[in-house]
Amino acid sequence: MEEQRKTRVVVIGAGQAGLSSAYSLLRKNLVPHQDFVVLDSNEGPGGAWRHRWPSLTFDAAHALHDLPGMPLGTPDPEEPASSVVSRYYARFEEHFDVPVLRPAQASGVRRVDGGLEVTVRDGRSWQADAVINATGTWTRPYWPSYPGRETFAGQQLHTGDFRSAGNFSGRRVLVVGGGTSAVQFLLQLAAAGADTLWSTRTPPRFTRRAFDPEWGRTVEAEVNARTRAGLPPSSVVSATGLPLTPQYQAGIDVGVLASRGPLQRLTERGVMFADGSAEEADVVLWATGFRAALDHLAPLRLRESGGGIRMDGVKVLREPRLFLVGYGASASTLGATRAGRAAALAAVGGIAGSRLPVGAGNLAL
């Protein structure tokens, strides 16, 4: 087994939150590879974006906030979002010499004398004074449990499995979920010649409210209230609603964006809704979201009785050397950028006077 490395900070994840954290660590003059490393489970740059379906163009994707110190610019709106973001992240990593190690999937984080030990699947490990966890949600799709799911004879897939609406032309597709991904799937599928159905647990809540800074603060306050109480973070759309864009309004007008309400069960050849109505379906597309990918933190026993991790901003109250970014209110790209900076500053401040030397970096950023 390889010798354990020692460092000041380990960042787990190289998406928006992880790269933002790394940038702020560089600004505090931590030396790459000596004072901190970034572990990424992917084969290349892009975080979760590199796995988005090819038909998701940049103009249809959720807004991407700039990484600190490097504006994205104005990409071709018709280019796949996965290509745009992967190229952008790669440019950022190269320009700032971000010490990303990949593929390096964290398998466990444990308390050891003097700090936290981070182990990756190939057996390598680091002992760090602080850990910034930025693993996001993409690797943990949420598949809800409904009677009949195991005996449904058609195809079932989740958001992460979707590639092209053209694959479903001429088929009857039920989309389950109330978020923007579900809405985008429905519009793409209908345009590609699929016969669509939509199921949501509650009626879709479209809003004309501007998604401005005041809106952002409101959403952040709502989500933070749950994490402070030790409850699992709720979905962003439950706090924001769906933006009533002209495209979405057109979908409502033609009946594509009309929910049939909650599901009761799946049948062998279709589904039954809670109102007692039944429909045949060839495909069920579960656009039911994701959960935080935190299994590697299980040895730390961070969960509260409510099922969540109690937080104060980015700080984990049960483990002061651990900081979560891209979790709860910082799950958006804007929130992740701000949280990355806060976590980096808190991590460096918390280990001031550490027995490990501060690198003498000379960065003019």
Side-chain angles (χ1 to χ4, degrees), residues 74-281:
T74 307
D76 178 356
E78 297 301 317
E79 185 177 1
S82 57
S83 299
V84 172
V85 180
S86 294
R87 188 171 60 249
Y88 175 47
Y89 285 7
R91 182 161 54 95
F92 182 90
E93 290 178 14
E94 181 179 3
H95 180 78
F96 291 114
D97 191 25
V98 181
V100 183
L101 305 178
R102 57 170 62 94
Q105 183 175 357
S107 58
V109 179
R110 295 172 175 80
R111 296 179 180 91
V112 294
D113 290 341
L116 297 172
E117 179 189 54
V118 181
T119 304
V120 298
R121 290 198 181 278
D122 64 10
R124 288 176 292 170
S125 65
W126 286 260
Q127 181 175 326
D129 295 315
V131 171
I132 298 174
N133 190 84
T135 44
T137 63
W138 186 258
T139 58
R140 282 204 62 202
Y142 172 62
W143 296 77
S145 177
Y146 282 99
R149 250 197 64 194
E150 296 78 12
T151 56
F152 175 67
Q155 179 184 1
Q156 297 185 60
L157 69 161
H158 199 275
T159 297
D161 306 312
F162 185 86
R163 290 296 174 266
S164 171
N167 295 337
F168 304 95
S169 179
R171 304 171 75 186
R172 196 162 212 216
V173 183
L174 170 69
V175 178
V176 183
T180 53
S181 292
V183 171
Q184 291 166 2
F185 287 145
L186 286 159
L187 295 175
Q188 288 186 44
L189 289 163
D195 182 13
T196 61
L197 296 164
W198 189 19
S199 173
T200 59
R201 289 184 301 170
T202 59
R205 184 165 58 90
F206 290 94
T207 177
R208 296 186 184 276
R209 178 175 179 178
F211 286 10
D212 53 20
E214 179 58 34
W215 160 83
R217 285 189 288 271
T218 301
V219 172
E220 190 167 322
E222 291 183 20
V223 180
N224 276 338
R226 290 184 60 85
T227 55
R228 279 196 301 270
L231 299 172
S234 56
S235 67
V236 173
V237 75
S238 68
T240 66
L242 294 160
L244 189 57
T245 65
Q247 183 188 30
Y248 291 1
Q249 183 63 64
I252 294 171
D253 293 342
V254 299
V256 172
L257 300 184
S259 173
R260 294 286 297 271
L263 285 181
Q264 183 181 90
R265 62 177 292 111
L266 275 66
T267 63
E268 184 180 359
R269 300 293 176 184
V271 296
M272 182 173 290
F273 294 97
D275 64 5
S277 63
E279 296 284 356
E280 292 186 354

Side-chain angles (χ1 to χ4, degrees), residues 26 29-37 96-100 361 363:
L26 290 167
N29 288 335
L30 270 67
V31 175
H33 295 289
Q34 177 181 318
D35 292 335
F36 80 103
V37 294
F96 291 114
D97 191 25
V98 181
V100 183
L363 298 170

